[in-house]
Amino acid sequence: MNDLDLVPFTEESGSYGPGTPGRHRRKAERSSGKTLVALLVVVAVLGGIVLGGWYGVNKVRDFFTADDYPGPGSGEVTIEITQGQNVTDIGNTLYKADVVASAKAFVNAAEENPDATTGLQPGSYTLKKQMKAADALAMLLDRENRKLGPSVTIPEGLTVKEILPRLSKKTGIPLPEFEAAAKDPVALGVPEWGGPSPDKRVLEGFLYPSTYEFNDKTTATSLLKQMVALSVQAATRDELAQKATELGVSEWDLMIIASLIEQEGIEPDFGKVSRVIYNRLNETGALSYLQFDSTTQYWLIITGKGRKAIVTDAELKDPDNNYSTHVDRRQGLPPTPIGNPGDAALKAAANPEPGNWTYFVVTSEDGRSAFTNDYNTHLANIEKCREVGRC
């Protein structure tokens, strides 16, 4: 009751004691002071919340956005991308040279551009200062802007056995050094999934086709590591991994399928070749065998017999040929990739074109194939293949 100022009248004092109107006035005056203080405290707290919220919102905004120049930039600056740099490293290099307003803007641009996965290559590039990050990325991806030193180009589809001598000849590094390095796929960066099992990894399939610069510090191991790193990067992109899961194949299977596509067709037909492979993998009986001559071609190469224009029936049925995918030999995929696929073949392996085809054969001089699911039509197409000298 005292707290509420409800003290009763007392006859002894002839007053309302502590509860007299005069006391009320004094209490009201003290209350007014307390109210003012409380009001100031509330204002301060609310002000702090508002300021804190404003600061927090700005901090969150800064976290999710990145400074970027509007472009187009001016002047010239030479940028050096070195072996082993990732996108963030490159972004920092560009930021320090005032090419981009922030490294994060460059990283964001790279994340939105699928070509950045494998397109950023070591070398010297001429760019402008204060460029929009996406424009700077485009210039780095444009091979015309790359100043090449001594380099070696590895085309799509070659095998390890064919690639190593080419690397040796171009770089001047003795072939035995490449052959020694190639014996240890794990040390070169081939991932755990890069083989029939983690303890049986192979290098085949992981020497990414591209142009590679070298200098007097380049070693066989460093060059092969670079090739493997690019291959793994290309084969493990999120969109490919997701598609592989949807198709029910592993990363290892995807690499093998890509190598088959690279050998069996030309790029305009890659999607259809891919579909034939998946259709046959899901078939029964004779159609469950791929019946690809290219797998035996690979066996001929790795056993020292070399590539042949036409594989013979005896070679297809050779009991020592564990890469033959013809009837009564090996069902399904070959044991390893049969070469080193490029980006287009990898994408096709993850994105087979819709269709019911189970047969195909080259029917034109430019390498295009005819596809069908009818055996008699396929026999007619084989005759066309012979007419153009491709069978």
Side-chain angles (χ1 to χ4, degrees):
M1 288 177 69
N2 285 338
D3 290 338
L4 296 174
D5 288 334
L6 297 179
V7 179
F9 176 85
T10 58
E11 292 183 357
E12 294 81 6
S13 61
S15 72
Y16 285 93
T20 60
R23 176 62 179 246
H24 272 292
R25 284 193 295 272
R26 287 194 299 275
K27 185 155 186 164
E29 290 168 2
R30 287 200 302 271
S31 249
S32 218
K34 288 181 179 178
T35 301
L36 179 59
V37 171
L39 181 60
L40 291 173
V41 170
V42 170
V43 170
V45 170
L46 289 175
I49 292 172
V50 171
L51 289 172
W54 176 84
Y55 180 78
V57 167
N58 277 278
K59 280 297 179 186
V60 169
R61 184 189 62 194
D62 291 345
F63 181 80
F64 286 107
T65 61
D67 292 335
D68 198 3
Y69 289 128
S74 60
E76 284 191 357
V77 58
T78 299
I79 296 299
E80 186 76 25
I81 296 179
T82 59
Q83 174 60 38
Q85 282 190 316
N86 58 32
V87 171
T88 302
D89 295 330
I90 297 171
N92 285 325
T93 298
L94 297 174
Y95 170 69
K96 290 175 183 176
D98 196 29
V99 174
V100 296
S102 67
K104 183 171 176 55
F106 181 78
V107 172
N108 290 345
E111 288 176 348
E112 295 173 1
N113 189 329
D115 292 335
T117 305
T118 56
L120 291 170
Q121 300 288 323
S124 297
Y125 299 82
T126 300
L127 284 78
K128 299 176 182 179
K129 286 197 172 187
Q130 300 189 355
M131 299 183 68
K132 188 175 178 63
D135 294 341
L137 174 63
M139 290 190 72
L140 292 178
L141 293 174
D142 186 351
R143 296 297 177 88
E144 296 298 320
N145 292 324
R146 186 182 179 200
K147 300 176 182 177
L148 283 174
S151 63
V152 53
T153 297
I154 302 301
E156 292 84 352
L158 294 183
T159 66
V160 170
K161 193 175 182 66
E162 294 169 318
I163 289 173
L164 299 186
R166 185 179 291 238
L167 294 176
S168 175
K169 182 178 180 179
K170 282 286 188 177
T171 62
I173 299 171
L175 179 58
E177 293 185 23
F178 280 106
E179 292 173 334
K183 290 179 180 178
D184 193 348
V186 176
L188 294 177
V190 174
E192 286 192 359
W193 56 265
S197 63
D199 60 342
K200 293 182 179 178
R201 298 178 225 183
V202 299
L203 187 58
E204 197 72 78
F206 290 93
L207 295 185
Y208 190 75
S210 186
T211 297
Y212 298 90
E213 285 187 298
F214 57 88
N215 53 42
D216 55 1
K217 295 181 181 179
T218 300
T219 66
T221 297
S222 69
L223 186 50
L224 293 180
K225 277 185 174 181
Q226 182 181 352
M227 298 176 78
V228 170
L230 283 179
S231 180
V232 173
Q233 188 179 35
T236 55
R237 284 168 289 184
D238 288 344
E239 63 269 24
L240 293 192
Q242 181 180 344
K243 289 287 187 179
T245 301
E246 293 172 2
L247 290 165
V249 296
S250 66
E251 293 165 310
W252 175 239
D253 292 337
L254 198 71
M255 184 67 83
I256 295 175
I257 291 169
S259 74
L260 293 170
I261 294 168
E262 195 75 73
Q263 298 296 334
E264 285 288 334
I266 60 176
E267 190 169 334
D269 288 337
F270 277 0
K272 289 183 177 181
V273 174
S274 180
R275 175 53 65 190
V276 170
I277 294 170
Y278 284 104
N279 285 346
R280 288 216 167 212
L281 292 177
N282 292 319
E283 280 284 355
T284 58
L287 286 178
S288 64
Y289 293 85
L290 292 178
Q291 302 185 58
F292 285 178
D293 289 0
S294 58
T295 59
T296 291
Q297 281 277 20
Y298 178 72
W299 174 72
L300 292 172
I301 292 169
I302 63 175
T303 54
K305 300 176 178 67
R307 288 185 184 270
K308 294 188 175 182
I310 298 176
V311 177
T312 67
D313 191 59
E315 290 163 340
L316 292 171
K317 297 178 180 178
D318 191 315
D320 294 328
N321 179 6
N322 62 331
Y323 277 85
S324 176
T325 52
H326 280 255
V327 178
D328 298 330
R329 296 295 298 133
R330 185 183 183 91
Q331 197 172 31
L333 298 173
T336 70
I338 61 170
N340 292 272
D343 202 50
L346 284 166
K347 289 178 179 177
N351 297 277
E353 195 169 316
N356 63 353
W357 313 292
T358 49
Y359 303 98
F360 70 97
V361 66
V362 176
T363 53
S364 66
E365 294 181 0
D366 64 1
R368 293 298 298 265
S369 294
F371 295 80
T372 183
N373 69 330
D374 179 74
Y375 183 63
N376 289 326
T377 301
H378 179 57
L379 291 178
N381 288 335
I382 290 176
E383 290 304 315
K384 295 178 182 178
C385 179
R386 290 178 177 141
E387 289 172 8
V388 297
R390 302 299 295 264
C391 289

